[in-house]
Amino acid sequence: MPATIIVGAQWGDEGKGKATDLLADTTDLVVRYQGGNNAGHTVIVGDQVFKLHLIPSGILYPHVTPVIADGVVVDPSVLLEEFDGLAERGLDPFERVKISGNAHLIMPYHRELDLLIERRLGKANLGTTKRGIGPAYADKASRVGLRFQDLFDEKIFRQKLEAVLVHKNEQLAKIYNRLPMQADEIAEEYLGYAERLRPCLVDTTELIHTSLEAGKHIILEGAQGTLLDLDHGTYPFVTSSNPVAGGALTGAGLGPRHVDRVIGITKAYVTRVGTGPFPTELFDEVGEIMTDRGGEYGTTTGRRRRVGWFDAVLARYAERVNGFTDIFLTKLDVLSGFETLKVATAYRYDGQEYTNFPPHQSIFHHAEPVYTEVPGWDEDLTEVSRYEDLPRAARDYVDMLEEESKSRITWVSVGPKRSQTLVRHDVPLVPPVAT
Ligand code: IMP
């Protein structure tokens, strides 16, 4: 049975955790394919709130196997903290979570360098999550990274660590005036983690493919979002991995023919954390209301998110680079109570209008949105349980987003709970097997 990719269509925090969790009902494996604990997924089940950073959202379903695939960077201290937290709440992550031996490790010097590099950049900083993500991916590309499998071969682990630490300590001392890190101390700490994590080490490519061959269904769960993609996002204000649908294939070890569904998750407005251009950003009272009502504070860093009107230029771009089959629209309820709503349908720069994502970053940095203004609605949407029962203006707004985004909006979410999800097009997640 084919796989489904779930991708953030904006700058992250679109509600992928909720969408994955909801769709996980009909799936067997939920696979994280990139990123690390820079992500933050909030999932609400009944009256319980779960905040997950590294563990795939499917953990909340006993029938699902959560997988951390090759493309992810793993900080084992954070992972164990998350495991212990879930174990205290009655879940069994140690038995269920499977981790690829090829996933790279986030080491203490990655965290330290992330912090120091950002500090050194001063005003030009990227606003990273300071979890060591960028330095860990940089080491992977430079072929000096340590991988999850290295934890289970003490000799190799110590050898690789000592070799790389020579360069890291030079960097720490000569550029940043820091004390050197000790290989023995790091090795003791990490080899200690290895003992607890040994049951999780699995050939995840084998697991994924034998599962597909056995007719099982897989969700590939993205972290961050399209515009934070290293290649297709708003570089350099991006993360260091590939959240887009293509990244799911490399990160999990699949080919395009294994995938039949690409679901884009998008908010009914736009948010961004960290620095970088944001054409529809709001600096007024409307923005403040959206931030507060939408609870727009980061799950990982607690930072206040920047907010703005829905940007259809970016939505069309996300559709192009991911090839969405469906959109899961989130947080429509947050837009209740505004007299009118705006949607950017194009940008203006230097006398020219751009309906597609501009090819040069300087244009994007100075892009002035061209807005279409539509009527808002006053009704509270959080209790609505059928799409048809939404106020007319809310349905018109969704219709407009669908037309402008050039992607089918299949689900609309009006609150954080599983039950607050409205089906707009009743299409099965998993296509029926032909008989
Ligand atoms: P990094 O991924 O920590 O290197 O941060 C790079 C950029 O991506 C920063 O602007 C972060 O705020 C942003 N970022 C990283 N992870 C997330 C996320 O899960 N949601 C939203 N923004 C993120």
Side-chain angles (χ1 to χ4, degrees):
M1 204 178 278
T4 297
I5 304 177
I6 293 193
V7 186
Q10 298 165 325
W11 275 292
D13 310 317
E14 298 92 348
K16 294 177 291 294
K18 172 177 170 174
T20 307
D21 171 64
L22 207 76
L23 303 174
D25 211 2
T26 49
T27 206
D28 302 288
L29 263 67
V30 176
V31 182
R32 272 281 306 266
Y33 56 84
Q34 48 69 233
N37 59 306
N38 47 349
H41 291 160
T42 306
V43 184
I44 300 179
V45 185
D47 53 4
Q48 291 217 64
V49 181
F50 293 87
K51 289 187 190 288
L52 305 172
H53 297 284
L54 205 48
I55 302 180
S57 314
I59 184 78
L60 304 177
Y61 280 91
H63 71 274
V64 168
T65 302
V67 176
I68 294 177
D70 305 38
V72 177
V73 284
V74 175
D75 185 328
S77 63
V78 175
L79 185 69
L80 279 170
E81 217 173 277
E82 214 163 291
F83 271 23
D84 288 337
L86 289 176
E88 267 169 35
R89 295 170 77 173
L91 295 167
D92 48 359
F94 288 95
E95 288 92 69
R96 285 176 53 211
V97 177
K98 311 295 173 209
I99 306 173
S100 167
N102 293 342
H104 276 247
L105 293 173
I106 296 182
M107 305 296 292
Y109 43 83
H110 293 138
R111 288 193 298 263
E112 180 78 353
L113 284 167
D114 200 354
L115 225 121
L116 294 167
I117 292 167
E118 280 285 271
R119 201 176 291 161
R120 197 150 207 258
L121 284 169
K123 277 196 182 149
N125 76 77
L126 303 178
T128 75
T129 58
K130 303 191 177 59
R131 301 295 190 262
I133 307 292
Y137 276 114
D139 277 3
K140 172 178 172 174
S142 304
R143 291 153 297 180
V144 293
L146 277 89
R147 297 187 292 172
F148 190 61
Q149 59 180 283
D150 295 327
L151 285 176
F152 306 98
D153 185 332
E154 182 172 345
K155 193 166 153 229
I156 290 278
F157 185 81
R158 287 185 187 274
Q159 258 175 19
K160 287 189 178 178
L161 178 62
E162 274 163 28
V164 73
L165 210 52
V166 173
H167 298 283
K168 297 297 170 191
N169 276 338
E170 261 187 51
Q171 210 176 339
L172 288 169
K174 292 188 181 157
I175 303 178
Y176 298 105
N177 201 22
R178 294 275 144 162
L179 290 173
M181 292 191 173
Q182 303 302 324
D184 277 349
E185 276 173 27
I186 299 176
E188 287 321 309
E189 180 190 338
Y190 274 63
L191 293 168
Y193 299 144
E195 261 171 50
R196 300 190 66 203
L197 290 171
R198 188 176 291 277
C200 304
L201 175 68
V202 158
D203 179 344
T204 57
T205 310
E206 173 74 15
L207 173 67
I208 289 169
H209 284 278
T210 48
S211 301
L212 284 173
E213 282 153 24
K216 294 189 173 170
H217 185 259
I218 293 182
I219 285 180
L220 299 153
E221 179 186 33
Q224 291 83 48
T226 301
L227 300 164
L228 288 172
D229 186 276
L230 184 59
D231 291 289
H232 304 287
T234 50
Y235 191 89
F237 304 100
V238 293
T239 192
S240 298
S241 65
N242 291 107
V244 296
L249 304 183
T250 22
L254 287 169
R257 149 180 100 70
H258 296 120
V259 175
D260 78 330
R261 202 98 183 248
V262 182
I263 301 175
I265 317 298
T266 185
K267 275 183 193 166
Y269 49 98
V270 183
T271 64
R272 168 163 213 173
V273 241
T275 46
F278 183 173
T280 61
E281 183 166 12
L282 286 162
F283 300 97
D284 57 6
E285 207 196 338
V286 172
E288 266 169 43
I289 295 171
M290 268 190 216
T291 307
D292 291 338
R293 209 186 283 153
E296 297 298 354
Y297 297 90
T299 313
T300 302
T301 58
R303 287 182 291 178
R304 190 184 170 93
R305 297 179 187 139
R306 301 155 65 194
V307 301
W309 293 118
F310 190 85
D311 187 331
V313 182
L314 295 182
R316 286 194 290 272
Y317 175 69
E319 199 290 314
R320 281 187 165 174
V321 297
N322 292 293
F324 297 135
T325 53
D326 308 83
I327 291 287
F328 190 113
L329 185 74
T330 61
K331 292 199 158 178
L332 186 66
D333 54 299
V334 173
L335 296 183
S336 291
F338 295 115
E339 204 173 319
T340 58
L341 302 169
K342 291 183 186 175
V343 172
T345 51
Y347 301 143
R348 201 172 289 121
Y349 172 71
D350 203 18
Q352 216 180 309
E353 211 162 284
Y354 294 83
T355 49
N356 290 326
F357 191 59
H360 199 287
Q361 65 168 5
S362 307
I363 303 173
F364 186 65
H365 279 243
H366 298 105
E368 196 192 307
V370 177
Y371 285 118
T372 299
E373 200 159 352
V374 294
W377 59 89
D378 278 330
E379 295 88 333
D380 171 19
L381 308 186
T382 56
E383 301 293 326
V384 175
S385 56
R386 290 187 329 155
Y387 183 77
E388 306 76 70
D389 296 338
L390 284 175
R392 177 84 250 168
R395 278 180 288 142
D396 286 348
Y397 181 70
V398 175
D399 287 348
M400 182 194 180
L401 298 196
E402 175 169 85
E403 198 179 318
E404 287 292 334
S405 308
K406 301 205 187 311
S407 336
R408 174 178 68 185
I409 298 178
T410 304
W411 301 275
V412 176
S413 162
V414 290
K417 295 187 187 147
R418 280 179 186 175
S419 56
Q420 291 169 304
T421 309
L422 314 178
V423 178
R424 183 157 173 271
H425 291 291
D426 197 6
V427 280
L429 171 70
V430 179
V433 181
T435 49

